[in-house]
């Protein structure tokens, strides 16, 4: 399995997850921070309000009580002169134990601030107002003078001898009767002792509650109403910091949520990682299938083109192989066997080419091998030879033998040609190998291109010719070796003279074979030959049959129909078939021959002595005749080896009771040698060239009147 690139994983999964987690943490932090700040602000405001209220209420109450006690007729009377100590103790001095609104009550002399009566225990220390409140009474009383309300009362917070306290002072008088104890004031003091402050702290959930003349920095602070002339008092305390408390618990919960989030994200990351892996596996599979042939696992056309492109400018050679006769295997064995055969060929090809840069299948029965380097061409040639040899052996397909051949084209890299051209050239060279008789290789040459263009043009024209049934047929008489009498004619197709071009029979027959026109061409030739041969009922008619025609499953049936439609006796007919064509599908050929011979049509082995001829062949197929090729005949007089071949063949033929015709007889000497060796019939320019049907008729009528000579030649 291919690993996912680290950066990709980082980019696609880890980074977003980290970003998401970080932003979650950031958002949470921001939220909690806001909660903390705002709840701290709210807490401080609330505490400030509470304390303000507490101290204000205390002071107001102290003020109220001071007012009520100072406006009293009896009080005026008892304090105006020498203060009645007993009265004082029983009234103001006693009240302390009853309520706790004030701790200290005193009657103060306004002139010097002396305390005239009080409920204090340490008398000496607190004999004067100044001792008590830390400021001169005159200063404090100024406030009374400034007070606008009729009560002539002042109150405020101040640091006293007993620590911080609320102090309230009022002139003692009786507004009802208009009496006043002049210069006498009632002072009530409520001390904020440690205990009281602790109580307050507890009640209002405040810590470090403290009163002082200086405001403590970084602490909550409330400025209290002071006494005139005195430094103002500040209440300071420590907020409980509810915000922090909230955030703390918030953080705890957030930590849980975050932990959960991280867990979920990790889960997602793992799932994503798996998905990514699967994806890259699929991608890999897809790119493998995109570059390989699904059946054989070889490279496909696409990878070939990529490789060829990559090798542009470097020397290389391309081998292009196309199986011959694969279609027949497919048709007669079935596609499953066809596929198996393709796989076997692929495997064999791979074994043959361990050093190739690429071995591929372009589809169907087309294979390619790419060789790199200067040695590419010789290696491609060697590989072609070995491939042809390998495929010459029939394949054993579970007991059934299948034979295919192969035609190979080779092209080479060249300056200025691209990958498509390299492939096209190999393809053209392969077609050339096929046209040359298959089971061979050919190396691309520029002339092939011209030839191919021409072949295309020929095929197009041939199609028209066939549609118009415009083909000409020439007949070449075959004579008896014994007396020179015409015993048959061979029908030879001729390109119509009306055409602007001249095309030899070899050429247009090959074009027809390669362009799917051969069945139509063969049928037309047979028809025309039969039609013409009606005029010569006493001689044999030989017709050439292309190997490709044997692949047509209706070949026998169609041929018999044509023969019958012309009222031709099958016994007069002979089909000539070249030996190379038989190799491809021997079983099929045998089958066709049997069918033909069954109705009386004879079968001749044409072009004997070229290609793959062997005596074994003659035994395997039950031919009626052998036609010794003109290339052998032409060498008879000069080459003893060729003569030996002919003599050997004739011996075997006699053993198998085969007739033997020698073609291409151009000289009387050749005719003599052949006659002596045992040839029964002779054919060649020495006797007759191929001629029009009417000329055959003419010769035949002449010959009937006048017995032929052995050397009669018709130009
Ligand atoms: P083939 O069947 O071997 O035909 C004999 C060829 O040899 C003919 O050439 C004929 O004109 C030529 N020939 C005959 N006597 C002599 C001679 O003394 N010296 C020389 N040098 N040549 C001689 P052609 O007509 O050009 O045909 C060439 C080949 O084309 C034939 O070879 C055959 O393979 C193919 N062909 C011709 N007509 C047909 C046809 O109707 N059907 C098929 N399937 N193939 C045909
Ligand atoms: Ca022939
Ligand atoms: Ca021949």
């Amino acid at each position: 399995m291919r690993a996912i690139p680290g950066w990709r994983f980082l980019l696609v999964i880890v980074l977003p997850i980290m970003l998401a987690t970080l932003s979650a943490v950031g958002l949470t932090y921001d939220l909690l921070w806001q909660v903390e700040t705002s709840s701290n602000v709210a807490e401080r405001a609330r505490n400030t309000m509470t304390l303000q209220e507490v101290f204000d209420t205390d002071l107001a109450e102290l003020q109220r009580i001071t007012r009520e006690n100072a406006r009293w007729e009896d009080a005026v009377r008892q304090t105006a002169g020498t203060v009645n100590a007993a009265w004082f103790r029983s009234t103001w001095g006693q009240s302390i134990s009853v309520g706790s609104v004030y701790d200290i009550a005193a009657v103060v002399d306004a002139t010097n601030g002396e305390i005239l009566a009080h409920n204090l225990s340490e008398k000496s220390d607190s004999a004067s107002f100044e001792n008590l409140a830390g400021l001169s009474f005159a200063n404090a009383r100024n406030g009374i003078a400034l007070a606008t309300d009729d009560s002539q009362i002042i109150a405020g917070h101040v640091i006293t001898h007993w620590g911080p306290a609320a102090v309230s002072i009022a002139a003692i008088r009786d507004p009802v009767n208009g009496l006043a104890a002049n210069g006498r004031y009632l002072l009530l003091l409520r001390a904020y002792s440690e205990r009281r402050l602790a109580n307050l702290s507890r009640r209002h959930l405040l810590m470090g509650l403290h009163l002082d003349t200086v405001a403590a920095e970084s602490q909550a602070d409330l400025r209290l109403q002071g006494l005139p002339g005195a430094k103002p008092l500040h209440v300071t305390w420590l907020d409980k910091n509810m915000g922090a408390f909230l955030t703390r618990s918030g953080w705890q919960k957030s930590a849980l949520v975050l932990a959960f989030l991280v867990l979920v994200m990790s889960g997602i990351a793992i799932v994503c990682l798996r998905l990514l892996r699967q994806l890259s596996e699929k991608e890999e599979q897809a790119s493998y299938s995109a570059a390989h042939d699904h059946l054989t696992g070889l490279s496909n056309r696409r990878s070939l083109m990529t490789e060829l492109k990559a090798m542009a400018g470097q020397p290389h050679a391309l081998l292009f192989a196309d199986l011959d006769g694969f279609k027949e295997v497919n048709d007669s064995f079935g596609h499953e066997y066809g596929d198996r055969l393709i796989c076997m060929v692929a495997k064999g090809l791979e074994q043959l080419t361990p050093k190739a840069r690429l071995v591929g299948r372009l589809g169907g029965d087309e294979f390619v091998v790419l060789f790199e380097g200067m040695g590419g061409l010789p290696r491609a040639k060697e590989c072609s030879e070995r491939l042809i040899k390998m495929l010459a052996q029939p394949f054993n397909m579970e007991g059934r033998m299948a034979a295919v051949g192969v035609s190979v084209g080779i092209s080479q890299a060249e300056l200025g040609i691209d990958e498509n051209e390299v492939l096209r050239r190999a393809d053209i060279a392969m077609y050339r190998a096929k046209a040359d008789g298959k089971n061979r290789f050919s190396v691309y040459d520029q002339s092939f291109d011209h030839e191919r263009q021409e072949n295309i043009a020929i095929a197009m024209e041939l199609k028209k010719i066939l549609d118009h049934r415009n083909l000409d047929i020439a007949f070449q008489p075959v004579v008896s070796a014994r007396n020179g009498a015409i015993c048959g004619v061979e029908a030879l197709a001729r390109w119509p003279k009306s055409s602007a071009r001249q095309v030899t029979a070899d050429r247009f027959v090959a074009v027809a074979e390669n362009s799917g026109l051969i069945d139509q061409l063969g049928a037309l030739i047979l028809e025309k030959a039969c039609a013409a041969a009606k005029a010569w009922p006493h001689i044999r008619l030989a017709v050439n049959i292309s190997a490709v025609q044997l692949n047509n499953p209706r070949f026998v049936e169609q041929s018999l129909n044509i023969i019958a439609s012309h009222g031709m006796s099958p016994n007069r007919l002979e089909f000539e078939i070249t030996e190379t064509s038989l190799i491809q599908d021997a079983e099929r050929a045998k089958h066709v021959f049997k069918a033909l011979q069954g109705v009386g049509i004879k079968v001749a082995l044409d072009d004997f002595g070229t290609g793959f001829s062997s005596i074994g062949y003659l035994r395997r197929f039950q031919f009626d005749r052998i036609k010794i090729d003109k290339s052998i005949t032409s060498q008879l007089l000069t080459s003893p080896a060729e003569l030996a071949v002919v003599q050997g063949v004739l011996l075997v033929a006699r053993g198998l009771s085969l007739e033997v015709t020698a073609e291409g007889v151009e000289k009387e000497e050749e005719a003599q040698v052949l006659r002596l060796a045992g040839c029964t019939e002779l054919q060649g320019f020495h006797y007759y060239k191929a001629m029009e049907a009417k000329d055959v008729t003419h010769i035949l009528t002449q010959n009937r009147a006048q017995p032929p000579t052995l050397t009669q030649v018709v130009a």
Side-chain angles (χ1 to χ4, degrees):
M1 196 192 73
R2 196 177 60 183
I4 302 166
W7 63 266
R8 200 171 145 194
F9 180 63
L10 273 179
L11 207 75
V12 178
I13 299 175
V14 178
L15 204 66
I17 285 180
M18 267 172 64
L19 281 176
T21 315
L22 276 178
S23 25
V25 171
L27 278 173
T28 314
Y29 176 81
D30 184 60
L31 195 76
L32 289 174
W33 186 80
Q34 281 190 36
V35 167
E36 178 173 344
T37 337
S38 54
S39 68
N40 279 347
V41 168
E43 185 195 2
R44 177 155 299 180
R46 197 179 52 244
N47 286 340
T48 309
M49 253 168 67
T50 309
L51 285 172
Q52 183 93 58
E53 214 173 290
V54 166
F55 286 98
D56 283 359
T57 313
D58 279 4
L59 193 63
E61 200 174 358
L62 192 68
Q63 223 172 334
R64 182 179 56 79
I65 289 174
T66 315
R67 187 189 300 130
E68 281 168 8
N69 282 281
R71 292 171 174 186
W72 186 19
E73 189 197 342
D74 198 26
V76 175
R77 232 179 283 127
Q78 301 296 335
T79 60
T82 310
V83 179
N84 183 343
W87 176 86
F88 181 84
R89 263 196 307 282
S90 64
T91 53
W92 294 335
Q94 206 173 36
S95 303
I96 308 157
S97 55
V98 180
S100 57
V101 179
Y102 59 91
D103 304 299
I104 292 166
V107 176
V108 186
D109 182 354
T111 51
N112 55 7
E114 191 188 343
I115 292 174
L116 302 173
H118 61 81
N119 61 345
L120 303 167
S121 51
E122 307 114 272
K123 197 177 165 187
S124 57
D125 278 1
S126 319
S128 74
F129 179 80
E130 193 160 353
N131 278 353
L132 177 89
L135 76 160
S136 77
F137 186 76
N139 274 354
R141 199 193 43 198
N142 284 346
I144 299 175
L146 291 170
T148 48
D149 81 318
D150 64 308
S151 63
Q152 296 253 325
I153 187 163
I154 59 162
H157 296 94
V158 72
I159 295 282
T160 70
H161 182 71
W162 291 278
V167 174
S168 171
I169 310 160
I172 302 170
R173 56 193 187 100
D174 175 13
V176 181
N177 299 320
L179 295 173
N182 281 338
R184 300 290 148 87
Y185 284 81
L186 171 65
L187 173 146
L188 295 181
L189 179 148
R190 178 177 209 176
Y192 286 105
S193 63
E194 295 284 323
R195 231 181 80 211
R196 180 167 281 164
L197 286 176
N199 269 343
L200 260 179
S201 279
R202 223 179 4 261
R203 198 160 4 119
H204 297 288
L205 300 168
L206 296 164
M207 284 174 17
L209 200 59
H210 181 71
L211 279 88
D212 207 338
T213 48
V214 283
E217 246 176 75
S218 79
Q219 269 188 19
D221 164 46
L222 170 66
R223 201 180 141 150
L224 295 176
Q225 183 186 328
L227 271 184
K231 279 188 177 169
L233 270 195
H234 293 267
V235 188
T236 57
W237 71 95
L238 285 170
D239 282 325
K240 259 194 107 180
N241 201 356
M242 283 309 282
F245 173 75
L246 277 177
T247 6
R248 234 184 342 270
S249 69
W251 269 120
Q252 281 163 2
K253 281 178 189 136
S254 306
L256 273 176
V257 172
L258 280 175
F260 179 70
L261 194 75
V262 167
L263 218 72
V264 169
M265 291 300 194
S266 311
I268 292 175
I270 290 169
V271 170
C272 287
L273 183 67
R274 284 226 179 109
L275 284 176
L276 258 179
R277 262 199 198 140
Q278 282 175 5
L279 210 72
S280 77
E281 260 173 35
K282 274 196 186 139
E283 230 171 64
E284 210 175 324
Q285 273 172 11
S287 69
Y288 180 86
S289 342
H292 291 84
D293 168 45
H294 66 100
L295 180 62
T296 59
L298 296 182
S299 300
N300 62 10
R301 180 182 292 267
R302 201 165 134 180
S303 8
L304 171 73
M305 296 324 270
T306 314
E307 283 298 302
L308 281 174
K309 203 169 192 169
M311 292 180 73
Q314 299 164 41
H316 59 270
L318 180 67
L319 177 156
F320 189 114
D322 184 286
L323 300 187
D324 299 322
F326 174 69
K327 189 182 166 296
E328 289 68 44
V329 172
N330 232 358
D331 289 348
S332 54
F333 286 74
H335 287 277
E336 203 184 303
Y337 280 88
D339 283 356
R340 219 178 289 172
L341 182 74
I342 289 290
C343 289
M344 285 162 98
V345 173
K347 211 165 265 162
L349 193 58
E350 269 184 320
Q351 280 168 1
L352 283 183
T353 53
K355 283 186 189 144
R357 165 111 176 213
L358 176 146
V359 181
R361 175 178 173 237
L362 301 190
D365 56 356
E366 294 173 346
F367 295 88
V368 285
V369 186
L370 179 58
F371 297 96
E372 56 188 330
M374 295 302 285
L377 182 65
R379 270 192 283 151
K381 283 182 179 171
E382 191 200 324
C383 174
S384 305
E385 273 163 4
R386 293 176 66 189
L387 181 64
I388 291 164
K389 228 181 229 168
M390 181 181 95
L391 292 181
Q393 313 290 326
F395 284 86
N396 188 345
M397 310 261 272
E398 288 172 7
R400 297 173 72 184
M401 301 304 278
V404 285
V406 64
S407 300
V408 182
I410 299 170
S411 69
Q412 270 182 289
E414 219 175 76
L415 218 69
I417 67 167
D418 68 358
E419 66 276 10
N420 294 312
E421 180 60 11
V422 174
L423 179 61
R424 191 190 70 85
R425 288 182 174 189
D427 185 45
I428 285 180
M430 183 277 291
Y431 270 103
R432 176 52 177 254
K434 271 199 197 299
D436 284 353
K438 303 180 177 173
N439 271 306
R440 64 195 68 206
F441 71 86
S442 92
V443 181
Y444 172 83
D445 184 278
Q446 282 205 325
S447 64
F448 295 1
D449 266 324
H450 175 68
E451 198 179 285
R452 193 173 165 82
Q453 291 298 324
E454 252 193 17
N455 283 348
I456 293 170
I458 290 170
M460 278 159 62
E461 198 175 337
L462 180 62
K463 178 87 184 84
K464 275 188 205 140
I465 291 169
L466 294 176
D467 288 345
H468 293 99
R469 304 171 63 81
N470 198 17
L471 199 78
D472 292 337
I473 309 287
F475 297 90
Q476 185 178 30
V478 181
V479 302
S480 157
R482 199 165 37 82
N483 59 13
I486 295 176
C487 42
V489 284
E490 178 180 354
L492 295 163
R494 290 286 173 266
W495 194 254
K497 286 193 190 75
S498 54
S499 166
R501 71 175 93 229
Q502 282 305 308
V503 187
T504 64
D506 294 302
R507 180 101 185 249
F508 69 76
V509 167
V511 168
E513 283 176 340
N514 290 319
S515 57
L517 294 171
I518 191 64
D519 290 336
Q520 204 184 341
L521 175 68
L524 185 63
I525 292 166
L526 184 61
E527 256 187 81
K528 289 207 164 195
C530 287
K534 269 187 199 166
W536 328 306
H538 305 295
I539 58 167
R540 200 175 61 241
L541 171 67
V543 178
N544 292 287
I545 300 296
S546 155
V548 183
Q549 284 177 269
L550 298 186
N551 297 332
N552 175 3
R554 300 188 55 212
F555 168 69
V556 175
E557 179 199 334
Q558 283 171 349
S559 303
L560 293 182
N561 284 345
I562 293 169
I563 296 162
S565 69
H566 286 89
M568 173 111 178
S569 159
N571 297 320
R572 278 183 59 210
L573 208 63
E574 190 168 274
F575 281 176
E576 295 184 6
I577 295 158
T578 53
E579 52 183 335
T580 43
S581 58
L582 306 174
I583 302 167
Q584 277 183 28
D585 196 347
E587 289 309 308
R588 190 177 187 90
K590 257 174 153 172
H591 179 77
V592 173
F593 293 176
K594 220 179 195 150
L596 293 173
Q597 287 165 331
V599 295
I601 298 172
K602 291 180 193 62
V603 181
L605 175 61
D606 207 352
D607 295 352
F608 186 86
T610 61
F612 295 80
S613 1
S614 75
I615 307 290
Y617 240 84
L618 298 176
R619 284 189 216 273
R620 211 153 127 212
F621 302 97
Q622 308 216 307
F623 293 109
D624 300 292
R625 178 184 305 277
I626 303 169
K627 290 191 79 175
I628 293 172
D629 192 63
K630 51 186 175 289
S631 61
I632 308 259
T633 308
S634 66
Q635 292 177 67
L636 269 184
L637 301 178
T638 50
S639 161
E642 300 298 330
L643 181 61
V645 168
V646 173
Q647 286 168 336
V649 169
L650 282 161
L651 272 176
V652 175
R654 205 170 300 148
L656 294 170
S657 338
L658 302 181
E659 303 264 6
V660 178
T661 302
E663 7 165 78
V665 183
E666 294 183 359
K667 294 178 182 146
E668 178 52 32
E669 292 87 344
E670 290 166 350
Q672 275 173 10
V673 172
L674 288 162
R675 208 178 293 127
L676 280 173
C679 264
T680 44
E681 289 177 6
L682 303 169
Q683 181 182 359
F685 296 166
H686 178 57
Y687 302 101
Y688 301 101
K689 283 193 172 173
M691 60 188 78
E692 286 180 33
K694 63 174 179 7
D695 295 330
V696 177
T697 311
H698 178 72
I699 293 169
L700 284 176
T701 40
Q702 246 191 5
N703 280 7
R704 217 168 289 141
Q706 214 179 342
T709 62
L710 281 180
T711 53
Q712 189 166 13
V713 178
V714 176

